[in-house]
Amino acid sequence: MNKVFSHPKSLRNIATHYCAGCGHGIAHRLIAETVDELGIREKVIAVAPVGCAVIAYEYWDFDCSEAAHGRALAVATAIKRVRPDNIVFTYQGDGDLAAIGTNETIHAANRGENLTVIFINNAIYGMTGGQMAPTTLLKQKTATTPNGREASFHGYPLKISEMLALLAGVKYVERVSFFSPQQVIKAKQAIKQAFLNQINNTGFSLVEILSPCPTYWGKSSKESLDWIRDVMTKEFPLGRIK
Amino acid sequence: MLLGKVLAEAAMKEDKFITWLPSYGAEVRGGTAHCMVVVSDSEIGSAYVSKADALIIMNAPSLNRFKARLKKNGLLIANSSLTGDFSEKNARVSACPFSDMACALGNIKVANMIALGCFAALTGIVQPQSLREVIREIAPADKRELVTVNLAALEQGIKLM
Amino acid sequence: MKMKTKILISGNEAMAEGAIQAGCRFYAGYPITPQNELTAYMAKNMPACGGEFIQAESELAAINMVYGASAAGARAMTSSSSPGISLKQEGISYIAGALLPAVIVNIMRGGPGLGNIWPAQSDYFQATRGGGHGDYRTIVLAPSSVQEAYDFMPLAFDLADKYLMPAMILADGMLGQMMEPLVVVRRPSAPSEVEGSSVVRGRNTEDEIRTTKKWALTGCKGRPANVVKSFFMKEGALEIANLKAQKKYRAVENKEQRWEGLFLDDAKIILVAYGSMSRIAKSVVVQLRQEGKKAGLIRPVTLWPFPRKIFEQLSRKKKRPAFFVTEMSYGQMVEDVKLALECRCKVDFFGRSGGGVPTEGEIIKKVRLL
């Protein structure tokens, strides 16, 4: 009998520490499946962020490096330069990639480093207790915007993917989401493309995933997915940006 | 700076102990860019020269800035084309119009080599032959024609004294 | 560079060449005076030997690139000057926590703040106490000549590789900028001076990296996945890791103390200075000897581990010598001298900072007053 479905080799068979309804587990799995399908598990080096996914290396079964908060793309740049035959990717949240690490993000992108970036945008800081992220929506309540984000006071949601798409060194940017099974399948296709680009030496590729954080959004899992579909995608439109 | 480097390289050829310390940071052309060279028969402590045995001064701002750093009755070689006439009681002054002489040789930039020749002849710290070898060696491959004029400048400086 | 036995070269360039000869194949840096010649030398010469040079977008990026390159198995380094080294402290702490080897050069300038670009030795505390957050140490080597600037690079890489920790070269703007004759020794395959070092110098092949750096991130072919990290969430795990690191630091303290002594047998007054200042102190000692005074010199070569042993030994003599410490700071290393002597000997100090360099005349005057 042909086996048509199994647990990815690149994902350890253990329970994660993520909250119910969190998007990290889905993203981890999609990456693990992609790595298996492309047959690159023995060549992959991941750079894990600081944030909820800080211990992603406990779930993936391939080589991983931790990076200081925001520095993942500096670390990944060096790994790829030293080992151009390996496949190097970063996995970063919105605070990591678009606040404390903006400088590293923009310059790695502008150098056109041949890297794959998986950017988890859940519009909030999860690990530290639900503070405002650069991508927090207007009116969204967080621990540090108790009355909701106000443009005049906190600025606007940062569209880092659109900003990065302007750079000549950037070859592929796509925004996807997890609000339905169909969307998850689309997300996986984008992730696969971003890895294929690196294998083909195309250059800097980034996939932004609108991902749920029910705990700090104060919503149920279902409500969270609906909120992505009905509210978040209005601010962050889905699709290929570059 | 180059003058000091040629002097240091020449002294190194003679197996002397040397240090060369440049001024760095916000120096401008025609300003007070300078270097400090120590040549010694024994190990050198400080590369920083607070009181110098000799000064080679190429312009007026440098004269004003550094004249107080010369030891009493030290040697002061000055480029009178740019310093003008001056008197210095506590120094052995040797002033010549290096820039004018360099123009006459066809390249104003070799004023420094005339001054260096002058310094070598007056002090005997390095042999003229060592200086000639350094000038031949340090010229970049695409600028070999500069060797001749620099050597001519050096000789003129040596003969001045 | 032309092959000659002796060349005239600046301290900054000598360090860069020394690093390349030591097998350094990754450099990332950000411009800052007075160390720019080192970065420029790397930009020019690293590609020719198959290495990587990156002008980073910041000091933070540069040190984190060094972290990544080292994690991937390369001999990696960065350089900067005082304000830039402050920025690098985050990365240095992570490198220490993740047990990675790396070399950091600090060509010290005046501080605090933007300070100025003139030579200083006021980053001693920062260098020898860890500098960043957490309980860690950094090996610190203090060259005093252009020759040592070159020679200490392979030593720094070997020590970092052996103990899996950051090693710092601590010099000042004078040593970085100064040119001196350098005897260039081609030594890519020379055996390490460091006992028990399994280092393979030069371009490390894939096999060499996989056998000598089993922890490196090379892709998990034929082995379980490797993780490079400094994060320990499980209760008690960080304490275990830290205790292990402390044990390693004690071993470094026991084995790697390095110093140079002059006239210590009969010295009644011993000058203590490191780096550029030790040359000035040496001139003072020679002059005092000529005057018939029994002066001596200790020049710490490793600032961490501080060469306590020689101080302890001298302080237990029947006739205890007095010590005179001089620095381009208002008194930092002098604290380590006092700690090593444990109040058994008199210690005096003279220092200048912010661009001032203590002169031979000033030091002799102070010593005569004792």
Side-chain angles (χ1 to χ4, degrees):
Chain A
M1 199 163 66
N2 278 342
K3 200 173 187 181
V4 291
F5 187 79
S6 70
H7 191 84
K9 197 167 185 313
S10 294
L11 198 65
R12 292 178 212 269
N13 202 356
I14 50 172
T16 69
H17 72 291
Y18 299 118
C19 307
C22 172
H24 278 306
I26 304 170
H28 286 10
R29 181 169 180 123
L30 295 185
I31 290 168
E33 287 178 359
T34 304
V35 165
D36 282 3
E37 287 162 20
L38 295 172
I40 52 174
R41 194 183 80 88
E42 293 180 333
K43 285 167 82 177
V44 154
I45 301 172
V47 181
V50 168
C52 283
V54 61
I55 55 167
Y57 47 72
E58 303 222 335
Y59 308 131
W60 288 319
D61 192 6
F62 40 67
D63 280 10
C64 293
S65 177
E66 161 198 287
H69 198 28
R71 317 291 170 236
L73 275 165
V75 172
T77 292
I79 295 175
K80 184 70 182 178
R81 294 280 192 111
V82 168
R83 316 194 66 85
D85 295 334
N86 286 76
I87 302 299
V88 183
F89 77 92
T90 68
Y91 183 97
Q92 300 175 261
D94 37 45
D96 192 273
L97 183 137
I100 194 168
T102 316
N103 199 23
E104 285 79 4
T105 303
I106 287 177
H107 287 279
N110 194 47
R111 285 191 302 267
E113 300 291 345
N114 188 27
L115 294 168
T116 304
V117 180
I118 309 300
F119 167 34
I120 307 295
N121 178 4
N122 57 13
I124 204 141
Y125 282 71
M127 198 188 204
T128 46
Q131 295 86 352
M132 179 184 72
T135 50
T136 291
L137 302 191
L138 292 176
K139 296 189 185 140
Q140 187 183 336
K141 285 185 181 174
T142 71
T144 48
T145 53
N147 299 317
R149 183 175 190 162
E150 268 181 57
S152 61
F153 202 65
H154 308 106
Y156 296 88
L158 189 68
K159 293 184 173 140
I160 189 109
S161 292
E162 280 83 350
M163 285 168 63
L164 291 172
L166 295 172
L167 303 175
V170 174
K171 301 302 174 194
Y172 174 74
V173 184
E174 181 149 0
R175 185 181 286 123
V176 295
S177 81
F178 282 164
F179 69 74
S180 72
Q182 291 78 3
Q183 293 298 318
V184 172
I185 290 167
K186 273 192 185 169
K188 186 175 168 187
Q189 284 164 349
I191 290 169
K192 198 166 195 172
Q193 187 59 50
F195 275 96
L196 275 170
N197 287 347
Q198 187 177 162
I199 292 167
N200 298 328
N201 274 315
T202 306
F204 193 91
S205 301
L206 179 143
V207 178
E208 173 178 341
I209 302 171
L210 305 183
S211 177
C213 179
T215 300
Y216 288 109
W217 290 354
K219 293 177 167 58
S220 72
S221 299
K222 172 75 170 63
E223 285 164 358
S224 297
L225 297 179
D226 293 345
W227 190 74
I228 293 177
R229 184 191 60 214
D230 301 334
V231 182
M232 214 176 164
T233 55
K234 299 281 183 299
E235 184 67 35
F236 296 108
L238 299 180
R240 179 94 180 248
I241 299 168
K242 187 171 187 178
Chain B
M1 307 275 256
L2 178 67
L3 189 165
K5 232 184 241 180
V6 173
L7 172 63
E9 291 260 13
M12 186 173 80
K13 274 190 186 293
E14 297 175 10
D15 279 328
K16 294 190 163 79
F17 289 90
I18 64 113
T19 60
W20 177 91
L21 185 67
S23 59
Y24 52 92
E27 296 286 3
V28 296
R29 201 173 287 275
T32 59
H34 62 278
C35 65
M36 304 176 192
V37 181
V38 181
V39 179
S40 173
D41 293 324
S42 56
E43 223 176 297
I44 297 165
S46 182
Y48 184 84
V49 181
S50 33
K51 283 283 184 180
D53 294 311
L55 288 179
I56 302 175
I57 296 289
M58 298 307 285
N59 62 19
S62 300
L63 181 66
N64 285 332
R65 181 168 167 195
F66 294 112
K67 62 186 177 191
R69 299 262 295 270
L70 187 65
K71 280 184 187 163
K72 203 170 180 197
N73 296 323
L75 175 64
L76 199 166
I77 295 174
N79 176 15
S80 59
S81 311
L82 295 179
T83 60
D85 289 334
F86 67 95
S87 67
E88 208 43 60
K89 268 182 288 176
N90 294 323
R92 290 174 288 129
V93 177
S94 185
C96 304
F98 299 129
S99 294
D100 296 332
M101 292 164 71
C103 279
L105 282 172
N107 187 339
I108 194 172
K109 286 184 183 165
V110 300
N112 55 358
M113 289 302 117
I114 307 176
L116 178 59
C118 183
F119 172 82
L122 277 171
T123 62
I125 281 174
V126 286
Q127 297 300 313
Q129 190 50 34
S130 310
L131 293 169
R132 289 183 200 116
E133 285 172 27
V134 173
I135 290 172
R136 282 194 199 99
E137 283 167 16
I138 63 168
D142 56 336
K143 288 188 178 164
R144 299 305 304 174
E145 71 280 4
L146 289 177
V147 172
T148 318
V149 66
N150 274 285
L151 283 174
L154 183 75
E155 298 307 332
Q156 218 175 75
I158 293 168
K159 276 183 209 140
L160 271 175
M161 295 303 137
Chain C
M1 199 189 332
K2 266 190 272 178
M3 279 288 276
K4 345 187 215 184
T5 49
K6 210 157 112 184
I7 55 169
L8 188 65
I9 191 171
S10 70
N12 283 334
E13 292 168 311
M15 286 181 204
E17 178 62 20
I20 290 173
Q21 291 305 321
C24 175
R25 289 298 176 271
F26 185 92
Y27 174 93
Y30 185 86
I32 183 170
T33 306
Q35 63 81 54
N36 293 316
E37 294 76 13
L38 203 168
T39 315
Y41 193 97
M42 286 297 195
K44 192 173 170 193
N45 295 288
M46 194 58 108
C49 57
E52 284 293 324
F53 167 87
I54 301 181
Q55 179 173 331
E57 58 271 28
S58 70
E59 279 93 351
L60 277 168
I63 189 69
N64 282 287
M65 285 175 185
V66 167
Y67 173 104
S70 178
R75 281 198 148 186
M77 73 170 281
T78 184
S79 64
S80 191
S81 178
S82 309
I85 296 293
S86 293
L87 284 166
K88 288 187 199 290
Q89 294 303 332
E90 172 196 86
I92 298 173
S93 170
Y94 276 74
I95 287 167
L99 308 180
L100 292 173
V103 173
I104 301 113
V105 173
N106 181 2
I107 305 294
M108 288 181 281
R109 59 186 253 182
L114 199 52
N116 63 22
I117 59 173
W118 311 122
Q121 294 184 320
S122 36
D123 302 349
Y124 180 93
F125 284 152
Q126 186 196 51
T128 58
R129 267 60 181 169
H133 62 283
D135 271 314
Y136 75 93
R137 293 290 186 170
T138 306
I139 292 168
V140 184
L141 298 170
S144 69
S145 65
V146 168
Q147 187 69 49
E148 281 189 345
Y150 175 82
D151 290 340
F152 283 7
M153 294 309 296
L155 179 61
F157 276 104
D158 290 358
L159 287 167
D161 272 3
K162 181 183 176 188
Y163 294 105
L164 297 180
M165 61 188 286
M168 180 178 278
I169 304 281
L170 192 68
D172 61 74
M174 186 143 59
L175 187 57
Q177 292 291 321
M178 181 176 74
M179 282 196 174
E180 266 189 320
L182 166 71
V183 179
V184 178
V185 191
R186 299 273 156 182
R187 64 168 108 207
S189 56
S192 172
E193 286 174 58
V194 178
E195 205 187 315
S197 177
S198 62
V199 161
V200 186
R201 295 246 179 90
R203 184 77 169 135
N204 293 337
T205 65
E206 193 64 28
D207 282 350
E208 283 164 354
I209 291 173
R210 279 175 176 268
T211 49
T212 60
K213 296 184 171 178
K214 292 194 161 69
W215 44 265
L217 305 178
T218 55
C220 62
K221 190 174 181 182
R223 60 159 170 75
N226 280 344
V227 176
V228 170
K229 59 161 189 153
S230 62
F231 185 60
F232 298 89
M233 205 158 70
K234 217 175 93 192
E235 203 179 323
L238 180 59
E239 194 168 3
I240 290 167
N242 279 348
L243 283 170
K244 221 168 141 187
Q246 290 301 316
K247 209 172 148 191
K248 171 174 85 179
Y249 298 148
R250 296 297 89 76
V252 178
E253 281 177 326
N254 277 327
K255 284 188 196 157
E256 308 298 348
Q257 294 182 22
R258 286 166 163 81
W259 71 89
E260 184 193 34
L262 187 68
F263 305 130
L264 294 183
D265 289 342
D266 64 342
K268 287 182 177 164
I269 174 80
I270 296 174
L271 274 70
V272 187
Y274 72 94
S276 291
M277 272 315 294
S278 70
R279 300 164 64 118
I280 298 168
K282 198 171 184 176
S283 302
V284 169
V285 168
V286 169
Q287 206 176 320
L288 288 170
R289 281 272 160 179
Q290 280 164 358
E291 293 171 13
K293 293 199 175 60
K294 289 192 169 164
L297 173 77
I298 297 177
R299 171 173 81 93
V301 168
T302 50
L303 302 180
W304 193 90
F306 190 73
R308 291 179 67 99
K309 287 177 191 168
I310 185 65
F311 288 93
E312 275 168 25
Q313 199 184 314
L314 291 167
S315 70
R316 293 185 191 284
K317 276 182 158 184
K318 266 204 183 126
K319 285 188 176 171
R320 291 174 189 169
F323 290 82
F324 186 92
V325 184
T326 180
E327 301 174 51
M328 281 185 256
S329 82
Y330 293 116
Q332 299 196 10
M333 181 178 70
V334 64
E335 293 193 3
D336 277 339
V337 173
K338 285 180 180 170
L339 283 168
L341 292 169
E342 292 179 335
C343 303
R344 286 186 290 267
C345 301
K346 193 167 169 286
V347 179
D348 283 282
F349 173 79
F350 174 64
R352 291 175 62 185
S353 180
V357 180
T359 65
E360 289 168 28
E362 284 172 333
I363 298 169
I364 284 188
K365 227 190 228 171
K366 300 272 176 192
V367 173
R368 282 196 185 121
L369 285 176
L370 298 178

